[in-house]
Amino acid sequence: MRGSVYYQSAQLVKQVFEAGAKKEDKINPDHEHYQFVSSYKTMESYRAVWNNFFNYLLEHWKIKDFEKIENYHIQSYIDYKVEYYPSKQYLEKISAAIGKLEVALKKFAKNIHNVDREYDFSIRQTILDEARDLKYVSNNYHNRAYNNALLLIENLKDPLHQLAAKIQYEGGARIEGVALIKKDQMMGIKVDSITNKEVGIVLTKEKGGKEGEILVSIDTYTNLNSYILEYDKFKIN
């Protein structure tokens, strides 16, 4: 498969997502919606993990075609996450998302290439169980999200800080990803194949030079693009 991280994850989402799919159909091996995801929120959560994983593969393994993922890539990624002593809930979410990725890759191979391609990502559960047993995960989850992020953004005094915060809020970028944005990082306006809504695409560069596409609202993208056209680049301290 060719294309950006965002494009490839979108193609895989199409293999396992059907809004409103019935529970009995999702557990029926003979039904077309077997092993599907029916919740937008769950699918967005899984896709966020996929994008993070794909960016990890690009940076550490130089893998651009995510059909080439193998078991040891899964082990390396989850071991990498465990090093930072994640919460139990977060590691469980990663494991679940990787499990659904295995399903999506199998379906993609069957539906697109008409071949039965074997993927076995069961190592994810082994590492999760070991991390629990050895207490490499934290049982207490600390929610660092603001109760009213939009109100916080509105009260920022500097308009540039407001714009940067909107990009973070809408696209999920880290601060280092929005502190400096240049013309060549503005990827235009496209239709998100998942929500069927127009979004602005910004290529961000984060810690370690990691690159990734984020999706922002048309209004935010337009404001950012106008600023860059006038001042050549967007930069905050």
Side-chain angles (χ1 to χ4, degrees):
M1 191 186 335
R2 295 182 179 181
S4 67
V5 164
Y6 167 72
Y7 174 81
Q8 291 193 52
S9 68
Q11 298 311 302
L12 292 172
V13 165
K14 294 177 182 178
Q15 307 304 314
V16 293
F17 180 72
E18 180 65 35
K22 295 180 180 179
K23 183 177 180 179
E24 57 265 31
D25 295 336
K26 293 189 293 181
I27 60 175
N28 180 0
D30 297 324
H31 198 278
E32 61 177 342
H33 293 156
Y34 178 56
Q35 296 182 314
F36 267 51
V37 177
S38 57
S39 163
Y40 280 105
K41 186 175 181 180
T42 300
M43 194 67 255
E44 286 177 358
S45 175
Y46 285 172
R47 190 183 179 193
V49 172
W50 295 359
N51 286 340
N52 183 269
F53 177 40
F54 293 169
N55 276 314
Y56 169 86
L57 292 176
L58 278 172
E59 181 179 357
H60 295 273
W61 293 88
K62 310 304 179 186
I63 293 176
K64 297 181 180 180
D65 179 355
F66 303 117
E67 289 186 82
K68 297 180 179 179
I69 295 173
E70 297 189 39
N71 201 33
Y72 59 86
H73 297 132
I74 304 297
Q75 180 173 0
S76 177
Y77 175 68
I78 300 181
D79 282 342
Y80 168 78
K81 289 295 184 180
V82 170
E83 289 179 6
Y84 293 90
Y85 194 60
S87 71
K88 182 169 68 73
Q89 292 89 339
Y90 179 57
L91 200 61
E92 287 171 347
K93 182 178 79 170
I94 291 176
S95 179
I98 296 298
K100 194 57 65 176
L101 175 62
E102 176 185 331
V103 175
L105 285 168
K106 288 179 179 178
K107 288 181 178 292
F108 186 87
K110 185 66 174 178
N111 295 334
I112 304 302
H113 303 305
N114 198 30
V115 296
D116 291 317
R117 189 168 295 166
E118 286 300 317
Y119 293 94
D120 180 8
F121 298 163
S122 57
I123 189 66
R124 66 188 174 84
Q125 189 62 43
T126 302
I127 298 174
L128 175 61
D129 292 341
E130 289 177 351
R132 287 169 175 159
D133 294 342
L134 298 174
K135 302 188 185 304
Y136 288 158
V137 291
S138 170
N139 283 317
N140 54 325
Y141 173 70
H142 300 287
N143 189 346
R144 297 180 294 171
Y146 292 99
N147 290 329
N148 194 333
L150 291 176
L151 182 62
L152 176 69
I153 293 172
E154 289 175 5
N155 281 275
L156 293 174
K157 295 180 179 179
D158 190 325
L160 294 186
H161 291 171
Q162 283 189 336
L163 182 53
K166 283 183 179 179
I167 298 169
Q168 284 188 271
Y169 175 74
E170 295 172 1
R174 295 175 179 269
I175 184 61
E176 60 265 24
V178 302
L180 175 63
I181 301 176
K182 300 178 181 179
K183 288 181 181 179
D184 60 358
Q185 293 173 242
M186 305 298 289
M187 309 305 290
I189 294 174
K190 304 176 184 177
V191 175
D192 181 0
S193 59
I194 305 306
T195 63
N196 288 322
K197 295 180 180 179
E198 284 194 333
V199 292
I201 311 294
V202 181
L203 180 66
T204 61
K205 299 178 181 180
E206 299 187 359
K207 184 167 56 178
K210 183 185 297 183
E211 296 184 351
E213 292 181 345
I214 61 170
L215 284 63
V216 298
S217 68
I218 298 298
D219 183 61
T220 298
Y221 185 89
T222 300
N223 291 336
L224 175 62
N225 195 50
S226 296
Y227 184 89
I228 292 176
L229 288 176
E230 183 174 354
Y231 297 100
D232 193 51
K233 62 184 175 183
F234 178 82
K235 185 178 182 180
I236 60 172
N237 187 332

